[in-house]
Amino acid sequence: MPLEPHEVPDLRQHIGWDRRDSDYPVLLERCLFYAGSRDDQGLLIAFAYICGMGLQHGYLEDVMVHPSMQGKGIGQQLVQRLLAYSVQKGVEIVTATFAEEHASFYRKCGFVTGNGGVWRKE
């Protein structure tokens, strides 16, 4: 799906995240693959991507759905599409890092929650 450089930052802003304009289009060139959805007017309403080295393991990142479209199954469909494509590309393990309040969403998408850790620059 072709994307204009401003579209993902615009969506990030709508959901309350930093725009990170400088990440795009570089991120799109470096990730393994991405998927998104548009509304009837062509506005980007959902986006996520898988990154990694393109071997057995990938990382699901930045699952975003426009606030006006949340709760309609769009995010789950987006993740399922990315996971199916992962299998086609030989990625057998996909990891996602998420806040506890989003755990039920990821379980519905087929993820198993477990122990792990995250390091963040202070």
Side-chain angles (χ1 to χ4, degrees), residues 10-66:
D10 288 351
L11 182 56
R12 290 178 62 90
Q13 184 175 11
H14 282 297
I15 64 171
W17 293 358
D18 294 339
R19 289 183 55 87
R20 300 189 63 101
D21 287 272
S22 62
D23 288 1
Y24 303 92
V26 174
L27 184 141
L28 302 177
E29 296 166 2
R30 293 184 183 173
C31 71
L32 294 175
F33 39 87
Y34 62 90
S37 293
R38 296 183 183 279
D39 66 10
D40 294 337
Q41 289 75 44
L43 178 70
L44 184 68
I45 58 166
F47 178 81
Y49 63 95
I50 303 262
C51 61
M53 294 179 62
L55 303 172
Q56 182 185 29
H57 191 175
Y59 302 89
L60 175 65
E61 298 282 343
D62 293 350
V63 177
M64 297 178 259
V65 176
H66 192 284

Side-chain angles (χ1 to χ4, degrees), residues 35-111:
S37 293
R38 296 183 183 279
D39 66 10
D40 294 337
Q41 289 75 44
L43 178 70
L44 184 68
I45 58 166
F47 178 81
Y49 63 95
I50 303 262
C51 61
M53 294 179 62
L55 303 172
Q56 182 185 29
H57 191 175
Y59 302 89
L60 175 65
E61 298 282 343
D62 293 350
V63 177
M64 297 178 259
V65 176
H66 192 284
S68 68
M69 302 302 286
Q70 291 177 3
K72 299 180 180 191
I74 295 168
Q76 190 172 354
Q77 290 173 356
L78 181 67
V79 171
Q80 292 301 324
R81 188 178 332 149
L82 284 168
L83 294 175
Y85 197 67
S86 295
V87 171
Q88 291 177 18
K89 292 296 185 180
V91 176
E92 299 175 8
I93 300 167
V94 175
T95 302
T97 304
F98 48 85
E100 181 60 35
E101 66 258 22
H102 302 298
S104 65
F105 167 80
Y106 286 94
R107 281 191 211 98
K108 287 178 190 171
C109 293
F111 285 81

